Amino acid sequence: TRLDLLPTADDPRVGAVVRAVEGLMAKAAPDERAVLADGLAAAHLRWGQPAEARRRWAEVAALRPTDVRVRFR
């Protein structure tokens, strides 16, 4: 994903890319939203933003209540 191409939170493109992904999430089916939220969570963790990563993984958990894997992230 494009998120993998942004190595740090200091990259000036981060805000635009996150907004673009959030726009996609707003239009996506629940399964696709979960995939996008999971990608954002991983990116936020890599960028040193664990609170935002937890928030995104909470979104994934809400979208996939029977997926126990997300509960261990």
Side-chain angles (χ1 to χ4, degrees):
T1 66
R2 286 187 276 176
L3 296 170
D4 294 332
L5 301 176
L6 301 174
T8 67
D10 298 334
D11 190 304
R13 299 169 292 171
V14 166
V17 172
V18 170
R19 284 189 298 279
V21 172
E22 289 172 337
L24 291 172
M25 287 174 65
K27 300 173 190 175
D31 281 344
E32 293 169 349
R33 275 197 318 267
V35 169
L36 293 168
D38 188 55
L40 279 175
H44 282 293
L45 190 62
R46 193 174 73 247
W47 296 332
Q49 301 168 342
E52 187 61 20
R54 280 190 298 275
R55 186 178 78 78
R56 295 296 181 173
W57 277 318
E59 290 179 46
V60 176
L63 291 165
R64 293 184 172 163
T66 60
D67 186 350
V68 295
R69 292 174 296 172
V70 74
R71 308 236 184 264
F72 294 103
R73 292 187 178 160

